[in-house]
Each structure stands twice: as structure tokens, then as C-alpha cells.
């Protein structure tokens, strides 16, 4: 995408083609303008169409250009924050409501994929949150107790069962979520785009929003060569936000995250690693993740940016780490490499903003975009239709605020990941 193989890597080379779209070159009218062609934007468009509400979606670059086309592809429920801590952050009513909604979010993803027959390498065998050492196992035990107290069907696995499911002996245990799974993230968002277009949504790419103007009871949303007049605007640009809603990007700290994909493994080796194809990530502070794609490529990722000195450092670390975690792999060869940016809020909890009258959006997914993005898109459609009000939202309404230390934090994370992986590569 944009002639940059490090932007979407394996996902771009293995996804079905994007639906044919064009730039907005005219003046149009709709009930809703959706800004951003990712999971939230297209989910909102699909669910608005079901409610008989006409929408136009404007994407600045291409379908799935942002985090929706670059991530690991884990369909996770919940949030990073411990469940018992969420009511303290959001308040008891919003906290428990949000926990319930996002706990069930992977189920909605499956339903959307099945309903619209989206080809995206969906795997339904769950995810494994892997414990590293005694401290990691204690964290998983706490998460397990807090989630099961809320009715979530999570299972705490011992080291032997974890070894059987992963093919690795380095983990002290795992937390298994049977509702979760993996998919090909760019294929999923392209499938959502096709479903939206089939539902009658007008989708325009290469159409960044440059200005927004209030005209009586309507909004006029202007691009380079056209405009759309509407009643509502959905801001679904999240961590890649620019233009009129760049504040969404400025309130988040970018955490870079890379992935390397091996060449397809031999049948003998493939049978020993993730035989059930669960998606995995660990409890380390500088975490690692891995999963298998349908061709038998092992996709391995961690914090860091593949630019400047970062590429060589992270690649060397990834090869050594994979050899330690999966000795049966031997010397690893990577087929592709890419990285993106995770938008992190100050409290690791998503946001709901009312930017102005009838201008709304969710953002700040903190590395969990697939299931929350799909779910929050559906919530936005219900909100615009009047089926839920402010009090029925899963998050309180907050004002977006820039993080004054954002640039310093981002530099620290990028360089810190290099230091951590350079040190790890020398072990």
C-alpha cells in the first residue's frame, strides 16, 4: 500500500482484493458521513444501512490503511485493564456495561463475518494469554478470577496443557478464551467494505476530509474535489487521525508494533506449533504475540518500529526469540515484515467523544481494535438512530485533550523497545 511493503506486509499479499472505489468528485447528500475506512467506520455503515439510514464513508487513503490493516489479527474480548479496575476508571455503571459489551464483542465479529460471508481466514479456536514466570501466572490467575466472576467462560491452563497447545515449554500457564480467535485483519476490513457497498453505502477513498462547516441544521464535509451535506458525522479515524479531528490522534500516544511472518512451515513442524491455531500473546512488559495463518506461516510480533536502526535490531531479536520459544523451528527465515501504530490513551480505556452537535466517535482501542471497533460501530448506528441515548452508552462522554508529553513518550517507547530487544538479542 502506497508502495511501502512495511506498511501491511503479509496481510496485503494474502488478502482478497479491495473493492473498487474512487475519489469523491461531486457534491452529495446523506444522513450520515462516516470519516475513516476501518472496522468502526464500516461496522457503523453496515448497521446504519440495516436501520434504513443512508451513509457516505470517506477514507483518506485506502480501505484498511490504518490500524485495521496492520494489526496481529487477534479477536480479543475485554480490555488490557484488569476487569475490577474498570469501574474505578469509568464509574460502576459505565464500567460494568462496557465490560459486558466488550466481553461479548468477539461473538459479534463472528456473526458479522458469517452474515456477510466475509473470507478472512477466521479461526474460532480461541486465544491464549501466556504467562511468563511466576509473576505472569499470578496475573493470569487474577484475570481469570475477575472475568469468571462476571460469567466469562475463560479457563486457566497449567504449564503442561499450555505446552501441548502451543508447542513451547517456556510458559508457566495460559488463560484460554474460547470465544476469541484470529482472522486476517486486512481481509476482514475489505470484507466489511464490500458488505457496506452491497448494503448501499457510498464509499470513497483518497478523499481526506479537509474542512467541516455548519450550515443551519446540517453539516457540510469538504474533501479536495467534493463535499457531502449531512445531519450526522461519525469520526472513526482513531490513531491515524488528521485534519479537523487530529485531536483524536493527539490525545493518544503511538506505541509502534511490528510483525514478522515466516515462510510456510513444513508439515512436520507445523503440527508441533499451535495445532489448534489459537492466537497468543504473553504477559511480558514488552510483550510478544504469535499466531499461525492458513498457509502455515508463523506471524511473530512485538513492540517496536521497523525503521532506522530498529529493523535490524528487532529482526535479530525475533529470530533468536523464536528459536528459544520453538527450538523445533531451527534457523528462521522471514517472508515479510511490517509495522503500525497502536493508539494508547492515558488510562488504557477507550473514549467516546461528542466533538460538536451530532458529531460523535469512539477511539482509543489500546491494541484491541477488531472486536471493540466492530462493536462500537454498531453502538454508533444505534445511537444515531435514537435507539440508545447518552445514558445508555457503554462509555461516558469525555472531552478530547492533547497529551502534552506525547512526543517524548513515543520516542521513549520506540527507543526503549530497541534497547530491550538489543539486550534480549545478546542473551
Amino acid at each position: 500500500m502506497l508502495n511501502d511493503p512495511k506498511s501491511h506486509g503479509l496481510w496485503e499479499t494474502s488478502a482478497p482484493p479491495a473493492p473498487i472505489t474512487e475519489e469523491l468528485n461531486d457534491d452529495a447528500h446523506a444522513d450520515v458521513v462516516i470519516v475513516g475506512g476501518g472496522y468502526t467506520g464500516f461496522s457503523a455503515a453496515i448497521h446504519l444501512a440495516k436501520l434504513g439510514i443512508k451513509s457516505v464513508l470517506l477514507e483518506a487513503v485506502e480501505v484498511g490503511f490504518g490500524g485495521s490493516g496492520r494489526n496481529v489479527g487477534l479477536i480479543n474480548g475485554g480490555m488490557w485493564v484488569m476487569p475490577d479496575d474498570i469501574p474505578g476508571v469509568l464509574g460502576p455503571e459505565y464500567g460494568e456495561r462496557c465490560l459486558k459489551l466488550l466481553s461479548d464483542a468477539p461473538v459479534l465479529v463472528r456473526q458479522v463475518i458469517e452474515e456477510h460471508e466475509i473470507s478472512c481466514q477466521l479461526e474460532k479456536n480461541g486465544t491464549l494469554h501466556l504467562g511468563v514466570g511466576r509473576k505472569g501466572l499470578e496475573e493470569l490467575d487474577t484475570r481469570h478470577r475477575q472475568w469468571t466472576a462476571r460469567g466469562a467462560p475463560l479457563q486457566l491452563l497449567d504449564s503442561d496443557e499450555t505446552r501441548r497447545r502451543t508447542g513451547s515449554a517456556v510458559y508457566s500457564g495460559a488463560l484460554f478464551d474460547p470465544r476469541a480467535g484470529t482472522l486476517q485483519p486486512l481481509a476482514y476490513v475489505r470484507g466489511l467494505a464490500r458488505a457496506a457497498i452491497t448494503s448501499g453505502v457510498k464509499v470513497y477513498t483518497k478523499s481526506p476530509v479537509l474542512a467541516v462547516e455548519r450550515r443551519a441544521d446540517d453539516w457540510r464535509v469538504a474533501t479536495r474535489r467534493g463535499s457531502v451535506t449531512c445531519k450526522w458525522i461519525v469520526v472513526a479515524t482513531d490513531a491515524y487521525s488528521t485534519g479537523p479531528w487530529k485531536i483524536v490522534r493527539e490525545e493518544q500516544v503511538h506505541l509502534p508494533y511490528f510483525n514478522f511472518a515466516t515462510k510456510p512451515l513444513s508439515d512436520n513442524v507445523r503440527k508441533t506449533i499451535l495445532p489448534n491455531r489459537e492466537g497468543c500473546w504473553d504477559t511480558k512488559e514488552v510483550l510478544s504475540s504469535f499466531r499461525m495463518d492458513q498457509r502455515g506461516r508463523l506471524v511473530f510480533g512485538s513492540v517496536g518500529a521497523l525503521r532506522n536502526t530498529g529493523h535490524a535490531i528487532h529482526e535479530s531479536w525475533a529470530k533468536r526469540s523464536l528459536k528459544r520459544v520453538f527450538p523445533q523451528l531451527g534457523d528462521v527465515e522471514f517472508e515479510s515484515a511490517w509495522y503500525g501504530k497502536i493508539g494508547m490513551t492515558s488510562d488504557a480505556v477507550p473514549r467516546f467523544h461528542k466533538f460538536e452537535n451530532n458529531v460523535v466517535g469512539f477511539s482509543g482501542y489500546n491494541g484491541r481494535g477488531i472486536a471493540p471497533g466492530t462493536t462500537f460501530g454498531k453502538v454508533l448506528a444505534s445511537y444515531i438512530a435514537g435507539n440508545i441515548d447518552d445514558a445508555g452508552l457503554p462509555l461516558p462522554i469525555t472531552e478530547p485533550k492533547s497529551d502534552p508529553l506525547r512526543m517524548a513518550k513515543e520516542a521513549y517507547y520506540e527507543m526503549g523497545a530497541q534497547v530491550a530487544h538489543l539486550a534480549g538479542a545478546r542473551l
Side-chain angles (χ1 to χ4, degrees):
M1 204 173 288
L2 295 185
N3 297 315
D4 181 3
K6 291 183 184 178
S7 66
H8 296 75
L10 171 65
W11 303 143
E12 187 162 27
T13 60
S14 62
I20 297 173
T21 54
E22 58 185 21
E23 184 176 356
L24 178 64
N25 287 298
D26 205 347
D27 296 321
H29 290 78
D31 299 315
V32 183
V33 166
I34 300 166
V35 185
Y39 304 132
T40 305
F42 282 116
S43 176
I46 289 168
H47 288 99
L48 284 167
K50 285 185 176 183
L51 296 168
I53 299 172
K54 178 183 177 182
S55 67
V56 168
L57 188 143
L58 303 175
E59 162 57 41
V61 188
E62 296 289 348
V63 171
F65 174 75
S68 295
R70 305 172 192 240
N71 64 78
V72 180
L74 302 181
I75 314 169
N76 284 319
M79 291 175 271
W80 285 110
V81 183
M82 285 287 185
D84 283 0
D85 294 339
I86 295 296
V89 177
L90 298 177
E93 187 171 347
Y94 282 113
E96 294 300 336
R97 187 185 303 153
C98 189
L99 282 168
K100 172 61 176 172
L101 183 72
L102 295 186
S103 176
D104 295 337
V107 177
L108 176 64
V109 173
R110 291 188 189 183
Q111 291 172 348
V112 169
I113 290 170
E114 291 168 1
E115 178 181 353
H116 298 284
E117 300 181 338
I118 297 174
S119 176
C120 60
Q121 300 185 27
L122 176 65
E123 296 286 352
K124 302 179 182 179
N125 287 339
T127 55
L128 296 167
H129 191 179
L130 303 170
V132 178
R134 180 185 230 172
K135 183 178 179 181
L137 192 57
E138 290 173 352
E139 177 190 331
L140 296 183
D141 180 64
T142 301
R143 289 186 182 276
H144 177 253
R145 285 188 287 104
Q146 293 183 12
W147 274 119
T148 53
R150 292 172 167 83
L154 274 61
Q155 301 170 34
L156 190 62
L157 311 180
D158 63 18
S159 58
D160 288 340
E161 180 65 10
T162 301
R163 182 186 304 113
R164 187 187 72 78
R165 295 203 187 196
T166 61
S168 174
V170 304
Y171 300 107
S172 53
L175 189 58
F176 173 62
D177 187 343
R179 302 162 303 175
T182 66
L183 50 68
Q184 212 276 31
L186 184 59
Y188 176 49
V189 71
R190 286 179 173 178
L192 289 174
R194 286 190 194 88
I197 292 169
T198 301
S199 299
V201 179
K202 298 294 184 182
V203 175
Y204 298 97
T205 53
K206 298 183 177 64
S207 302
V209 174
L210 303 180
V212 181
E213 178 186 6
R214 188 69 169 166
R215 291 186 172 182
D217 294 330
D218 293 333
W219 289 100
R220 181 178 180 273
V221 181
T223 65
R224 287 178 297 207
R225 296 184 174 87
S227 70
V228 187
T229 300
C230 59
K231 295 289 185 184
W232 285 83
I233 300 173
V234 168
V235 180
T237 46
D238 199 31
Y240 287 77
S241 294
T242 60
W245 300 286
K246 64 180 181 178
I247 186 64
V248 176
R249 187 271 182 263
E250 292 172 353
E251 75 170 343
Q252 301 182 57
V253 175
H254 276 176
L255 183 72
Y257 201 91
F258 65 79
N259 284 287
F260 289 98
T262 68
K263 294 182 177 180
L265 305 179
S266 68
D267 288 341
N268 288 338
V269 173
R270 192 186 308 182
K271 291 175 183 176
T272 70
I273 299 174
L274 296 176
N276 297 327
R277 294 182 179 268
E278 298 98 335
C280 304
W281 75 103
D282 63 34
T283 58
K284 287 184 179 180
E285 184 174 0
V286 182
L287 66 85
S288 303
S289 61
F290 55 87
R291 45 81 55 101
M292 198 82 71
D293 86 334
Q294 284 191 343
R295 287 283 311 280
R297 302 178 183 91
L298 189 60
V299 179
F300 185 73
S302 185
V303 179
L306 302 183
R307 59 184 178 189
N308 304 322
T309 56
H311 193 137
I313 290 171
H314 298 315
E315 182 173 12
S316 175
W317 169 84
K319 288 182 176 181
R320 291 171 184 259
S321 294
L322 275 177
K323 198 168 184 178
R324 179 180 64 86
V325 175
F326 300 111
Q328 63 269 45
L329 282 174
D331 293 327
V332 176
E333 290 186 62
F334 293 128
E335 183 179 275
S336 56
W338 67 102
Y339 75 102
K341 302 163 186 174
I342 297 173
M344 306 292 292
T345 59
S346 59
D347 53 14
V349 170
R351 302 280 191 264
F352 175 78
H353 295 314
K354 271 188 175 181
F355 299 93
E356 294 189 61
N357 186 46
N358 286 8
V359 183
V360 295
F362 286 97
S363 58
Y365 297 145
N366 297 278
R368 297 204 167 186
I370 295 174
T374 304
T375 299
F376 285 146
K378 182 179 181 181
V379 171
L380 286 166
S382 295
Y383 183 75
I384 290 168
N387 296 333
I388 57 174
D389 58 12
D390 290 352
L393 288 167
L395 294 171
I397 300 169
T398 55
E399 290 291 327
K401 297 179 181 178
S402 297
D403 186 330
L405 300 177
R406 173 175 54 85
M407 296 180 68
K409 291 177 182 177
E410 290 175 357
Y412 172 78
Y413 290 145
E414 183 166 346
M415 291 308 300
Q418 290 190 38
V419 170
H421 288 162
L422 186 60
R426 289 172 175 165
L427 295 178

